[in-house]
């Protein structure tokens, strides 16, 4: 029997949400003295250490007590070319795009610069415990390819695509529908479905895409099976008013995308801070996911997301960091910010630790149509794992000495764990960061 057949049994408290805690009670599964058995890159068992050990005496035990095992974090909205504009506070969306984001995105025409940025961006993901991300590429094909290459080298799961726009940004960032079609088709052939990479058709937003460009998006989705889709929607009142003027035939923002078939399972629309009830109903009916980016929504003053309305209507909601409109790569922080903002809404939900974990893990897998493979520790899933262990003398280490229940420990992790606590990250059982 090879070492891989015998398996590795990780011993530490483990948490996961194989069920949706917004729909069912007791969705959080926790094993305080946990055992996570990995065999051939897959979860072979997740349970109490003693029971798992007895059933698998041949497995190699790795004692990780002192830390915690969570499913790899899943970021459903982020922009690789915006790494260096993090921290541009004090502006609203359209002003921020023009002053901060777009000038930096134009620099991605330089292949060496784009490559360096892509590698640093991917390091930002993994060093914060993110194992899967849906990422806006660049407006340039070579820079988008650089992101895929950096993703491949890192071992992470990356879905991304060429950012498509043909108006209202700045001339260097505009493509023609024909060139966008050609470049996207080439990138799909090179990267889609290769290893852990997926291609996502990525019109920036209706504000910067003509009908001809949106038609190209539709054509690409028809021509290639399994593509994902990502864009922005209903983020800022001025943006929404401009989109209404650009598409006078559309009853609302979502209707623009719907006209071109751009929704449904595997489609992720970011923000949706100012939706109508009708849009929420149609997002639920079509299975389109919304990426909730609470740090970005606060930093750009976009508004407070109506989480309760989305959840009640049955819209799939996951979390996104929205680097660089957001405030960094930390998905734990993003979940905490979701909690904090809902907390200050009158009648807002008090999110519990199970809901935060679900939003940061399994909900992302569902948004991306990957829930059969990742998002929790059910047997047979890929062993995508983040091992969180607070360094000695940190506030989190001190708090964890006092916590009395697993839920308290998990809440403390969301409140206090930063990148310094991410000790190891695995994808399909292999260590990709330590
Ligand atoms: N809408 C269109 N582009 C962007 C972007 O880069 N960031 C955010 N937050 N919203 C957008
Ligand atoms: Zn964004």
């Amino acid at each position: 029997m090879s070492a891989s057949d015998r398996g590795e049994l990780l011993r530490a408290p483990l948490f996961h949400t194989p069920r949706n805690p917004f729909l069912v009670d007791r969705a959080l599964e926790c094993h305080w003295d946990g055992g996570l058995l990995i065999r051939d890159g897959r979860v072979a068992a997740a349970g109490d250490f003693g029971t798992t050990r007895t059933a698998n005496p041949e497995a190699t035990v790795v004692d990780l007590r002192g830390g915690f095992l969570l499913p790899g974090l899943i970021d459903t909205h982020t922009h690789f070319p915006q790494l260096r504009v993090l921290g541009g506070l004090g502006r609203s969306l359209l002003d921020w795009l023009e002053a901060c984001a777009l000038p930096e995105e134009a620099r991605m025409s330089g292949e060496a610069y784009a490559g360096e940025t892509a590698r640093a961006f991917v390091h930002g993901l993994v060093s914060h415990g993110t194992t899967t991300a849906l990422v806006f590429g660049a407006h340039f094909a070579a820079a988008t390819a650089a992101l895929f290459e950096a993703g491949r080298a890192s071992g992470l799961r990356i879905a991304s695509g060429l950012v498509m726009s043909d108006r209202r940004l700045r001339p260097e960032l505009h493509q023609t529908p024909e060139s966008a079609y050609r470049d996207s088709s080439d990138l799909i052939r090179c990267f889609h479905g290769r290893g852990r990479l997926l291609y996502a058709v990525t019109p920036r937003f209706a504000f910067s895409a003509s009908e001809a460009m949106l038609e190209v998006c539709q054509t690409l989705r028809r021509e290639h099976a399994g593509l994902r889709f990502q864009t922005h929607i209903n983020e800022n009142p001025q943006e929404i008013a401009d989109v209404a003027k650009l598409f006078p035939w559309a009853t609302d923002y979502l209707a623009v995308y719907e006209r071109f078939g751009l929704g449904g399972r595997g489609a992720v629309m970011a923000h949706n801070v100012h939706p109508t009830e009708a849009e929420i109903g149609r997002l639920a009916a079509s299975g389109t996911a919304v990426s909730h980016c609470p740090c970005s929504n606060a930093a750009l003053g976009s508004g407070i997301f109506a989480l309760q309305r989305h959840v009640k209507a049955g819209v799939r909601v996951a979390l996104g960091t929205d680097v660089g409109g957001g405030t960094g790569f930390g998905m734990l922080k993003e979940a905490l910010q979701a909690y904090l903002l809902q907390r200050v809404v009158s009648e807002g939900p008090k999110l519990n630790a199970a809901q935060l974990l679900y939003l940061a893990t399994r909900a992302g897998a569902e948004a991306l149509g990957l829930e059969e493979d990742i998002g929790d520790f059910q047997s047979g899933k890929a062993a995508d794992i983040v091992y969180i262990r607070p360094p000695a003398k940190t506030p989190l280490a001190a708090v964890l000495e006092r916590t009395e229940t697993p839920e308290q420990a998990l809440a403390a992790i969301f409140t206090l764990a930063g990148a310094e606590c991410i000790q190891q990250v695995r994808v399909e059982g292999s260590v990709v960061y330590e």
Side-chain angles (χ1 to χ4, degrees), residues 77-79 82 136 232 235 270-271 293 296 322-323:
H77 184 69
T78 182
H79 298 249
Q82 295 179 8
F136 266 59
H232 297 91
E235 181 175 0
H271 301 288
C293 307
S296 167
D322 197 23
V323 167

PDB file of all heavy atoms in Angstrom, residues 77-79 82 136 232 235 270-271 293 296 322-323, ligand 2:
ATOM      1  N   HIS A  77     -15.392  37.380  -6.087  1.00  0.00           N
ATOM      2  CA  HIS A  77     -15.266  38.614  -6.876  1.00  0.00           C
ATOM      3  C   HIS A  77     -14.007  39.395  -6.496  1.00  0.00           C
ATOM      4  O   HIS A  77     -13.883  39.910  -5.388  1.00  0.00           O
ATOM      5  CB  HIS A  77     -16.484  39.519  -6.700  1.00  0.00           C
ATOM      6  CG  HIS A  77     -16.413  40.726  -7.580  1.00  0.00           C
ATOM      7  ND1 HIS A  77     -16.531  40.657  -8.947  1.00  0.00           N
ATOM      8  CD2 HIS A  77     -16.182  42.031  -7.303  1.00  0.00           C
ATOM      9  CE1 HIS A  77     -16.401  41.861  -9.466  1.00  0.00           C
ATOM     10  NE2 HIS A  77     -16.171  42.716  -8.498  1.00  0.00           N
ATOM     11  N   THR A  78     -13.092  39.500  -7.440  1.00  0.00           N
ATOM     12  CA  THR A  78     -11.860  40.238  -7.197  1.00  0.00           C
ATOM     13  C   THR A  78     -11.211  40.571  -8.549  1.00  0.00           C
ATOM     14  O   THR A  78     -11.522  39.939  -9.563  1.00  0.00           O
ATOM     15  CB  THR A  78     -10.926  39.433  -6.273  1.00  0.00           C
ATOM     16  OG1 THR A  78      -9.744  40.185  -6.019  1.00  0.00           O
ATOM     17  CG2 THR A  78     -10.566  38.071  -6.837  1.00  0.00           C
ATOM     18  N   HIS A  79     -10.337  41.597  -8.556  1.00  0.00           N
ATOM     19  CA  HIS A  79      -9.734  42.084  -9.809  1.00  0.00           C
ATOM     20  C   HIS A  79      -8.217  42.012  -9.676  1.00  0.00           C
ATOM     21  O   HIS A  79      -7.644  42.769  -8.876  1.00  0.00           O
ATOM     22  CB  HIS A  79     -10.094  43.552 -10.033  1.00  0.00           C
ATOM     23  CG  HIS A  79     -11.551  43.837 -10.191  1.00  0.00           C
ATOM     24  ND1 HIS A  79     -12.108  44.242 -11.384  1.00  0.00           N
ATOM     25  CD2 HIS A  79     -12.587  43.809  -9.308  1.00  0.00           C
ATOM     26  CE1 HIS A  79     -13.404  44.449 -11.226  1.00  0.00           C
ATOM     27  NE2 HIS A  79     -13.730  44.194  -9.971  1.00  0.00           N
ATOM     28  N   GLN A  82      -5.955  45.275 -10.038  1.00  0.00           N
ATOM     29  CA  GLN A  82      -6.186  46.347  -9.057  1.00  0.00           C
ATOM     30  C   GLN A  82      -5.412  46.155  -7.753  1.00  0.00           C
ATOM     31  O   GLN A  82      -5.641  46.869  -6.774  1.00  0.00           O
ATOM     32  CB  GLN A  82      -7.689  46.484  -8.769  1.00  0.00           C
ATOM     33  CG  GLN A  82      -8.472  46.935  -9.988  1.00  0.00           C
ATOM     34  CD  GLN A  82      -9.971  47.045  -9.737  1.00  0.00           C
ATOM     35  OE1 GLN A  82     -10.422  46.932  -8.600  1.00  0.00           O
ATOM     36  NE2 GLN A  82     -10.734  47.238 -10.791  1.00  0.00           N
ATOM     37  N   PHE A 136     -11.583  38.913 -12.025  1.00  0.00           N
ATOM     38  CA  PHE A 136     -11.560  39.726 -13.238  1.00  0.00           C
ATOM     39  C   PHE A 136     -10.129  39.749 -13.761  1.00  0.00           C
ATOM     40  O   PHE A 136      -9.206  40.085 -13.016  1.00  0.00           O
ATOM     41  CB  PHE A 136     -12.030  41.154 -12.936  1.00  0.00           C
ATOM     42  CG  PHE A 136     -13.500  41.370 -13.191  1.00  0.00           C
ATOM     43  CD1 PHE A 136     -14.452  40.607 -12.522  1.00  0.00           C
ATOM     44  CD2 PHE A 136     -13.939  42.314 -14.096  1.00  0.00           C
ATOM     45  CE1 PHE A 136     -15.817  40.793 -12.753  1.00  0.00           C
ATOM     46  CE2 PHE A 136     -15.295  42.510 -14.335  1.00  0.00           C
ATOM     47  CZ  PHE A 136     -16.236  41.752 -13.678  1.00  0.00           C
ATOM     48  N   HIS A 232     -20.623  43.166 -13.159  1.00  0.00           N
ATOM     49  CA  HIS A 232     -21.104  43.986 -12.039  1.00  0.00           C
ATOM     50  C   HIS A 232     -22.551  44.381 -12.297  1.00  0.00           C
ATOM     51  O   HIS A 232     -22.959  44.526 -13.451  1.00  0.00           O
ATOM     52  CB  HIS A 232     -20.283  45.269 -11.918  1.00  0.00           C
ATOM     53  CG  HIS A 232     -18.836  45.058 -11.611  1.00  0.00           C
ATOM     54  ND1 HIS A 232     -17.875  44.932 -12.579  1.00  0.00           N
ATOM     55  CD2 HIS A 232     -18.193  44.961 -10.426  1.00  0.00           C
ATOM     56  CE1 HIS A 232     -16.686  44.765 -12.008  1.00  0.00           C
ATOM     57  NE2 HIS A 232     -16.841  44.777 -10.697  1.00  0.00           N
ATOM     58  N   GLU A 235     -24.522  48.696  -8.546  1.00  0.00           N
ATOM     59  CA  GLU A 235     -23.592  48.991  -7.453  1.00  0.00           C
ATOM     60  C   GLU A 235     -23.781  50.408  -6.918  1.00  0.00           C
ATOM     61  O   GLU A 235     -23.687  50.638  -5.704  1.00  0.00           O
ATOM     62  CB  GLU A 235     -22.155  48.789  -7.960  1.00  0.00           C
ATOM     63  CG  GLU A 235     -21.079  49.043  -6.919  1.00  0.00           C
ATOM     64  CD  GLU A 235     -19.688  48.702  -7.439  1.00  0.00           C
ATOM     65  OE1 GLU A 235     -19.568  48.276  -8.600  1.00  0.00           O
ATOM     66  OE2 GLU A 235     -18.725  48.865  -6.664  1.00  0.00           O
ATOM     67  N   ALA A 270     -21.675  40.922  -9.365  1.00  0.00           N
ATOM     68  CA  ALA A 270     -21.120  41.494  -8.136  1.00  0.00           C
ATOM     69  C   ALA A 270     -21.915  42.717  -7.688  1.00  0.00           C
ATOM     70  O   ALA A 270     -22.374  43.509  -8.510  1.00  0.00           O
ATOM     71  CB  ALA A 270     -19.663  41.880  -8.350  1.00  0.00           C
ATOM     72  N   HIS A 271     -22.057  42.823  -6.387  1.00  0.00           N
ATOM     73  CA  HIS A 271     -22.627  43.976  -5.652  1.00  0.00           C
ATOM     74  C   HIS A 271     -24.140  43.912  -5.492  1.00  0.00           C
ATOM     75  O   HIS A 271     -24.637  43.589  -4.422  1.00  0.00           O
ATOM     76  CB  HIS A 271     -22.152  45.304  -6.239  1.00  0.00           C
ATOM     77  CG  HIS A 271     -20.663  45.435  -6.223  1.00  0.00           C
ATOM     78  ND1 HIS A 271     -19.950  45.629  -5.061  1.00  0.00           N
ATOM     79  CD2 HIS A 271     -19.741  45.305  -7.211  1.00  0.00           C
ATOM     80  CE1 HIS A 271     -18.669  45.656  -5.334  1.00  0.00           C
ATOM     81  NE2 HIS A 271     -18.515  45.447  -6.627  1.00  0.00           N
ATOM     82  N   CYS A 293     -19.973  42.077  -1.609  1.00  0.00           N
ATOM     83  CA  CYS A 293     -18.630  42.597  -1.325  1.00  0.00           C
ATOM     84  C   CYS A 293     -18.745  43.701  -0.271  1.00  0.00           C
ATOM     85  O   CYS A 293     -18.656  44.903  -0.603  1.00  0.00           O
ATOM     86  CB  CYS A 293     -18.005  43.149  -2.610  1.00  0.00           C
ATOM     87  SG  CYS A 293     -18.015  41.988  -3.996  1.00  0.00           S
ATOM     88  N   SER A 296     -15.919  46.510   0.059  1.00  0.00           N
ATOM     89  CA  SER A 296     -15.962  47.436  -1.071  1.00  0.00           C
ATOM     90  C   SER A 296     -17.192  48.335  -0.983  1.00  0.00           C
ATOM     91  O   SER A 296     -17.103  49.543  -1.223  1.00  0.00           O
ATOM     92  CB  SER A 296     -15.977  46.637  -2.369  1.00  0.00           C
ATOM     93  OG  SER A 296     -16.314  47.451  -3.457  1.00  0.00           O
ATOM     94  N   ASP A 322     -13.493  41.955  -3.751  1.00  0.00           N
ATOM     95  CA  ASP A 322     -13.424  43.092  -4.672  1.00  0.00           C
ATOM     96  C   ASP A 322     -12.127  43.891  -4.529  1.00  0.00           C
ATOM     97  O   ASP A 322     -12.153  45.123  -4.515  1.00  0.00           O
ATOM     98  CB  ASP A 322     -14.652  44.003  -4.514  1.00  0.00           C
ATOM     99  CG  ASP A 322     -14.814  44.942  -5.714  1.00  0.00           C
ATOM    100  OD1 ASP A 322     -14.296  44.621  -6.788  1.00  0.00           O
ATOM    101  OD2 ASP A 322     -15.450  46.009  -5.543  1.00  0.00           O
ATOM    102  N   VAL A 323     -11.003  43.192  -4.455  1.00  0.00           N
ATOM    103  CA  VAL A 323      -9.717  43.893  -4.626  1.00  0.00           C
ATOM    104  C   VAL A 323      -9.782  44.575  -5.990  1.00  0.00           C
ATOM    105  O   VAL A 323     -10.213  43.950  -6.966  1.00  0.00           O
ATOM    106  CB  VAL A 323      -8.551  42.859  -4.623  1.00  0.00           C
ATOM    107  CG1 VAL A 323      -7.254  43.498  -5.101  1.00  0.00           C
ATOM    108  CG2 VAL A 323      -8.400  42.212  -3.257  1.00  0.00           C
TER     109      VAL A 323
HETATM  110 ZN1  LIG B   2     -15.552  44.522  -8.914  1.00  0.00          ZN
END
